[in-house]
Amino acid sequence: MQPAKIGRNDPCPCGSGKKYKRCCGELHEFLEPTIDPFTRINNLMTAVKFKLDQFYEREIKRVRRELQKHFLRFSVENTVNRDHESIFSDWLWFDQIGDDGDTLAYLYLKNNGEFIESPLKDCLAALNLSYLSVYEVIAAEGLILELRDIFLDRKCEVLLKEPWEGSDETISALLLGRLVRMADGNVFSGMVLMLENDDEQMDFLVEHLQHACNLQGDTAINLLKFKGEIVYGLFNHAFKKTHVTINHIEAAKIDAEEKQRLLGRLKDSYHLVHENVGFQWFEPTDNKEAYNRIAVGAEYVITSHEVLQDLNDWKSLQNDIWPDKEFIVLGDRFIMNPPLPEMADLWFTIIKDRECEAWLNTPHTELQGKTPAQIITEENGRERLNRLLDEMYDRVDNDQARELLDYMRLRIQ
């Protein structure tokens, strides 16, 4: 039985809502054999994305703002740069998993694929397999750019619209983009961001993605495909040349012998900051501004590191002292799960100290622009800070906030 012929004015069966003559029916107009592969593939991608945009318009309007927040959760920025909208939209269509366990683009292909003209269907399938990654530029020749995925260590070639104009000095540039692999060649989808690899940015990106993989117990390819917001956020930090605040917290149970062994080793390159709530708090003698602590108690050691390099330094010392010691991760920017209930008090111990440290070293209008750390050195400074904490205590309405203020009071004694 032959399928019914689609009239030019009939609704396009692909689900776009347009007439067939204005949708899949006009596909031939931009797939002429004379069109170069780069333009042909880009025309197909434009058509696919237009279909998705029309089909899911109402649904996306409802959730777009919240999804933007999710996309930016590892970024320095609070809003999606207008020039980066295509990167966000591609992530939204092809990577973001919905409540039903599929991406919007995959659902569209599954439900409407049999009605879509073959070139568009192939392009949509390729986009569904694509992912956001960072590529090192290796060489350029004519309209071909040779690249290497820095996370997967895979080489590939990409088609260009115009010859690469980078000089010998910029041939080591890093590109953030979504590579779509088609039969006629590979093309980047949407915007591509470039970063000069002039300050070890590539090492920074690889080390942080590996850290995220280790924490989540996942592979790099899965993170690239289904958690592209991590890649975007890391690239954004590398572009701004600012460290990623990982806020890593971990803890391990220790006995008296292990405690003494640790304290003996800490004397070499750490100094005691304070003693509080049953812990001795140490930081490296050459510590910079980042929060970096080792808290040693009678039964537990808790560590907290704001910067990945500080965590790596601690891991090196830890493996030297206790090569087989198991540490439990209580918190990190790259894991969203709360700590185990039995470890929550240890986690909050670090949170209180970190928040207190920030309070001590932040100028306050109530202190005429001085920090509490400065006030404490002045005559009657402690009394003045205690009065300030009393005023703050009267304004809070939850137990955790009061517990934090009590901890601050202990720190200034």
Side-chain angles (χ1 to χ4, degrees):
M1 182 175 181
Q2 295 294 324
K5 185 176 180 180
I6 303 171
R8 283 174 52 78
N9 292 313
D10 290 342
C12 189
C14 74
S16 68
K18 299 174 66 179
K19 292 182 179 180
Y20 178 71
K21 67 180 180 181
R22 298 298 183 192
C23 193
C24 293
E26 64 177 11
L27 193 60
H28 65 279
E29 293 182 10
F30 53 82
L31 290 181
E32 294 291 338
T34 56
I35 298 180
D36 64 275
F38 178 91
T39 302
R40 184 164 57 249
I41 295 171
N42 271 277
N43 285 343
L44 284 170
M45 289 194 294
T46 299
V48 165
K49 293 174 187 180
F50 186 73
K51 287 177 178 293
L52 292 172
D53 199 42
Q54 281 196 320
F55 191 78
Y56 289 113
E57 181 180 10
R58 291 183 180 179
E59 182 177 345
I60 291 301
K61 279 184 177 180
R62 292 196 303 268
V63 299
R64 189 176 184 87
R65 180 172 296 182
E66 284 304 312
L67 286 175
Q68 280 190 343
K69 292 179 182 178
H70 185 79
F71 182 68
L72 294 169
R73 60 193 178 127
F74 298 103
S75 172
V76 177
E77 313 295 343
N78 295 319
T79 58
V80 176
N81 187 303
R82 181 173 296 180
D83 294 337
H84 302 179
E85 279 286 345
S86 65
I87 298 176
F88 167 69
S89 294
D90 281 357
W91 170 86
L92 188 156
W93 297 129
F94 310 115
D95 298 347
Q96 179 60 18
I97 300 295
D99 294 336
D100 51 12
D102 291 319
T103 66
L104 292 174
Y106 178 79
L107 284 174
Y108 185 86
L109 179 62
K110 184 168 67 173
N111 295 329
N112 302 288
E114 62 181 301
F115 307 114
I116 303 175
E117 299 283 348
S118 293
L120 285 180
K121 184 176 180 180
D122 293 343
C123 182
L124 178 54
L127 281 163
N128 275 324
L129 293 174
S130 68
Y131 50 85
L132 193 64
S133 194
V134 178
Y135 299 86
E136 176 188 17
V137 178
I138 298 175
E141 183 175 351
L143 298 178
I144 300 293
L145 199 60
E146 185 180 353
L147 307 173
R148 183 182 71 89
D149 187 317
I150 68 170
F151 300 124
L152 304 178
D153 193 24
R154 296 177 184 172
K155 290 184 178 181
C156 59
E157 292 182 346
V158 61
L159 299 176
L160 299 176
K161 182 178 182 180
E162 299 174 348
W164 174 262
E165 295 182 354
S167 63
D168 292 340
E169 289 75 19
T170 61
I171 202 68
S172 63
L174 301 176
L175 304 180
L176 174 74
R178 177 180 296 272
L179 201 62
V180 183
R181 302 174 187 274
M182 298 285 289
D184 291 342
N186 305 324
V187 172
F188 278 119
S189 171
M191 173 64 70
V192 177
L193 305 182
M194 188 174 79
L195 168 69
E196 292 295 333
N197 185 29
D198 58 359
D199 194 21
E200 299 182 346
Q201 286 95 333
M202 183 164 61
D203 292 341
F204 170 92
L205 291 166
V206 172
E207 289 171 2
H208 280 79
L209 189 83
Q210 186 59 54
H211 174 67
C213 289
N214 293 340
L215 284 173
Q216 299 190 18
D218 211 339
T219 61
I221 186 63
N222 278 346
L223 259 65
L224 296 177
K225 177 57 187 170
F226 298 112
K227 295 182 181 176
E229 65 273 15
I230 293 179
V231 182
Y232 179 81
L234 292 179
F235 193 88
N236 185 239
H237 277 82
F239 184 83
K240 299 284 186 179
K241 293 189 176 182
T242 181
H243 70 255
V244 177
T245 305
I246 61 172
N247 287 335
H248 185 90
I249 304 173
E250 61 182 25
K253 197 171 182 60
I254 56 174
D255 57 30
E257 181 182 345
E258 290 174 324
K259 176 180 177 179
Q260 292 307 312
R261 192 187 316 163
L262 175 60
L263 291 175
R265 291 297 301 274
L266 291 178
K267 291 178 182 178
D268 297 336
S269 53
Y270 286 74
H271 69 270
L272 181 66
V273 181
H274 65 91
E275 295 187 50
N276 211 343
V277 294
F279 286 89
Q280 295 173 273
W281 297 79
F282 295 88
E283 71 173 358
T285 52
D286 61 348
N287 190 44
K288 309 297 189 295
E289 294 182 2
Y291 184 82
N292 187 8
R293 294 288 188 276
I294 298 178
V296 184
E299 297 182 347
Y300 284 95
V301 57
I302 325 171
T303 70
S304 180
H305 313 280
E306 191 174 283
V307 180
L308 182 58
Q309 184 56 56
D310 291 338
L311 172 61
N312 291 338
D313 291 343
W314 158 246
K315 285 295 184 184
S316 178
L317 177 61
Q318 172 197 322
N319 290 333
D320 189 30
I321 302 173
W322 307 311
D324 300 320
K325 172 66 70 175
E326 179 182 1
F327 274 75
I328 299 174
V329 177
L330 307 184
D332 190 283
R333 185 171 186 173
F334 292 101
I335 53 175
M336 308 306 292
N337 298 329
L340 297 171
E342 60 268 27
M343 308 294 281
D345 286 345
L346 296 177
W347 171 83
F348 193 47
T349 296
I350 288 289
I351 298 300
K352 287 186 294 186
D353 192 73
R354 191 169 67 199
E355 292 298 315
C356 181
E357 198 68 28
W359 174 75
L360 284 169
N361 293 285
T362 300
H364 296 270
T365 54
E366 300 92 336
L367 302 175
Q368 289 70 54
K370 294 183 179 180
T371 68
Q374 292 172 321
I375 294 295
I376 205 170
T377 63
E378 300 177 356
E379 185 177 358
N380 299 320
R382 283 184 172 80
E383 290 80 357
R384 186 178 177 186
L385 292 177
N386 274 312
R387 288 195 298 270
L388 176 62
L389 290 173
D390 286 340
E391 294 172 5
M392 295 168 66
Y393 202 92
D394 292 336
R395 294 196 297 266
V396 300
D397 58 358
N398 66 80
D399 292 339
Q400 282 195 332
R402 294 190 183 97
E403 191 174 339
L404 173 58
L405 292 172
D406 289 337
Y407 186 88
M408 292 175 174
R409 201 184 302 277
L410 290 172
R411 282 290 306 269
I412 65 174
Q413 299 310 314

